[in-house]
Amino acid sequence: MNKTELIEKIAVKSGLTKVDSKKALDAALDAIKEALAADEKVALIGFGTFSVATRAAREGINPSSGEKIQIAEKKLAKFKAGAELADALK
């Protein structure tokens, strides 16, 4: 499912227009993005939790030259499914 298909499903299930559904989805995604950028967790009970994890700096190897390189620390967005979502996937 892509974003357009998700907007259509939101419109059908909520009774909103596609334009209003797009605005609602965009607002929700922006709010999640802003919270994660501020290192906050976003917990949607029953659905799941979005959080930020930090991957430590490490040493890697350049595959083309075999040379050792330093890989910088990196922040990653993580998602852990909630109980209701996990049960729905069984």
Side-chain angles (χ1 to χ4, degrees), residues 35-53:
L36 292 177
D39 259 351
E40 298 175 12
K41 282 177 31 173
V42 178
L44 305 174
I45 304 301
F47 183 73
T49 302
F50 296 91
S51 61
V52 176

Side-chain angles (χ1 to χ4, degrees), residues 63-83:
S64 60
S65 66
E67 177 184 339
K68 289 186 179 183
I69 57 172
Q70 286 297 322
I71 301 171
E73 178 179 89
K74 182 178 183 177
K75 289 188 176 186
L76 305 167
K78 290 178 62 176
F79 176 76
K80 182 175 185 213

